[in-house]
Amino acid sequence: MSQGKLKLVGANGGANASSTVNAAAIAAANRGAVDGANRVSLKSVFTSLTKNMNAVLSFLIREYGIGSCFKVRCIDIHYATGVSVDTVQRILTKFAYEGFLTKRKIRDGRFQGLEINLKPICNHYQNYILNEASVALATVTGFQSSIVSSFNKSTYSEEALKILAVTDEEIKSKYPSVAGIGFGTDQLRQIVDKRDKYGEHLNMLLMSLEYVNYEIENGGFKDSKGKPVEKTLGYIFQVLLRAGRLSKPEGFKTAEEQAADEVEEQLRAVKEAKKRKIDALYEIWLHDLSDEEREAILQKTNTPSTRYLRHYWDTNIYGQKGGGND
């Protein structure tokens, strides 16, 4: 897309929906290099979108997330948003031209539709709805309250709110390898938005991040053929979006389990040290035992001498001295 000014015209063709768009700001957003001036331009971009454009874009973000490819049909978007199929097609073409997404026609078995990938600018769009549009709806041209409320935190379950409270800094601290592949709060929010909307479970989502962190640090993920997964971020995102959890990896232990292992290891070490001490004391006693004392101890038993001498020492020497209370 060329730099400079482009004309973003609403898919319904209304002249009042036209708005001058700064292509450089969109390109900067997709590169992750947005400055103050670009933010102002992006706000102009977002407020210029028509009601139908907002309906389509917010639906795609909620349902499929940002940054990974997904398959969809225009008829599905129509059923979800009420926007006509023809208008959906024009909107998607416009969004692709402006840099909001990439799309291509695909045929996969019985499925015939589009493969779409929402670009990073959609993160800025989503953040704008959460942070600004929900506060000042009256100033935002084309936004519907229903679109904003779909992102409003008051609509989330208690479990969802707990997850949404996690910050990027916490992810970097608790799950450094997860953060290292680019997974952060944007991905968490997309997963929560989709799953919480339909009442699907979220209780294993944060624990699954521990599993992901462990897998990455221990060789990474493998596909069904045993080959390394190349696009780990997209793979993890889609699994969590679809299932809400990952299976516990073989060998994984929680922090509590690791702490328990350490305590058990300390206990084993203490017991082993105590046993070595007792054995050494017995060997000293046995070394100092005279022949007469040995015969006197063994004359009343038919038990093999080595075994009985140890029994005698344990009971009458070590035990009598209070050693059994160590």
Side-chain angles (χ1 to χ4, degrees):
M1 183 170 60
S2 61
Q3 300 294 315
K5 300 288 184 178
L6 294 177
K7 203 75 169 178
L8 183 64
V9 181
N12 58 11
N16 292 334
S18 300
S19 178
T20 301
V21 177
N22 191 324
I26 296 177
N30 287 330
R31 292 195 309 270
V34 175
D35 57 21
N38 287 331
R39 288 191 181 91
V40 174
S41 297
L42 289 177
K43 181 176 180 179
S44 175
V45 172
F46 300 148
T47 56
S48 72
L49 300 182
T50 66
K51 180 175 68 176
N52 285 340
M53 287 177 170
N54 282 309
V56 170
L57 187 55
S58 60
F59 166 74
L60 294 178
I61 292 173
R62 290 197 312 273
E63 292 300 308
Y64 301 103
I66 301 166
S68 59
C69 291
F70 56 87
K71 296 184 293 186
V72 68
R73 301 177 304 170
C74 290
I75 189 68
D76 298 326
I77 300 175
H78 160 67
Y79 287 140
T81 64
V83 180
S84 71
V85 173
D86 288 344
T87 301
V88 168
Q89 291 173 339
R90 290 197 297 271
I91 288 174
L92 293 178
T93 298
K94 179 61 66 176
F95 278 148
Y97 177 74
E98 300 295 346
F100 280 75
L101 55 84
T102 61
K103 70 180 181 74
R104 68 184 183 94
K105 294 181 179 179
I106 61 168
R107 183 188 295 272
D108 185 2
R110 295 183 178 181
F111 177 86
Q112 184 174 356
L114 298 172
E115 182 181 77
I116 292 177
N117 189 335
L118 298 178
K119 291 189 174 182
I121 188 177
C122 295
N123 282 319
H124 294 275
Y125 170 83
Q126 184 173 236
N127 290 336
Y128 176 71
I129 292 178
L130 277 171
N131 300 328
E132 296 189 39
S134 59
V135 176
L137 269 176
T139 66
V140 184
T141 305
F143 278 116
Q144 293 175 288
S145 59
S146 60
I147 295 173
V148 175
S149 66
S150 68
F151 290 98
N152 195 300
K153 292 183 179 180
S154 64
T155 66
Y156 291 124
S157 66
E158 183 176 347
E159 186 69 33
L161 289 173
K162 181 175 71 173
I163 297 171
L164 291 173
V166 175
T167 65
D168 282 318
E169 288 70 24
E170 288 175 314
I171 293 176
K172 290 177 182 177
S173 174
K174 295 180 180 179
Y175 324 108
S177 295
V178 175
I181 63 172
F183 190 102
T185 53
D186 284 338
Q187 286 73 24
L188 271 182
R189 184 167 61 203
Q190 292 166 42
I191 294 168
V192 168
D193 283 340
K194 182 177 186 298
R195 297 190 62 79
D196 203 50
K197 174 183 176 181
Y198 297 106
E200 297 173 333
H201 68 83
L202 293 165
N203 60 305
M204 286 297 295
L205 185 54
L206 294 181
M207 176 57 73
S208 292
L209 294 187
E210 290 194 40
Y211 297 164
V212 174
N213 202 73
Y214 178 86
E215 288 280 18
I216 295 173
E217 292 179 350
N218 290 272
F221 290 87
K222 292 181 172 56
D223 60 22
S224 58
K225 297 181 180 179
K227 296 182 179 180
V229 172
E230 294 182 359
K231 298 180 179 179
T232 304
L233 175 59
Y235 172 79
I236 294 305
F237 179 81
Q238 289 298 335
V239 170
L240 294 178
L241 191 69
R242 182 179 66 255
R245 61 171 296 166
L246 271 76
S247 299
K248 182 179 179 180
E250 184 177 353
F252 172 85
K253 291 185 178 181
T254 65
E256 291 78 10
E257 290 171 330
Q258 293 176 27
D261 286 347
E262 291 176 2
V263 172
E264 289 174 356
E265 181 59 33
Q266 292 173 5
L267 180 60
R268 282 193 293 270
V270 169
K271 288 182 176 180
E272 180 61 28
K274 181 179 179 180
K275 182 179 182 301
R276 291 199 305 270
K277 173 187 173 182
I278 294 172
D279 289 346
L281 290 172
Y282 169 70
E283 292 296 333
I284 292 172
W285 174 82
L286 188 63
H287 179 270
D288 294 339
L289 193 67
S290 67
D291 292 340
E292 293 78 9
E293 290 172 324
R294 180 188 295 266
E295 290 179 6
I297 294 170
L298 295 176
Q299 67 181 353
K300 296 181 180 181
T301 181
N302 294 322
T303 304
S305 61
T306 302
R307 187 191 310 170
Y308 186 77
L309 285 172
R310 180 59 189 255
H311 169 73
Y312 179 87
W313 181 83
D314 286 340
T315 304
N316 299 283
I317 306 300
Y318 184 70
Q320 289 296 323
K321 292 182 179 180
N325 296 322
D326 287 352

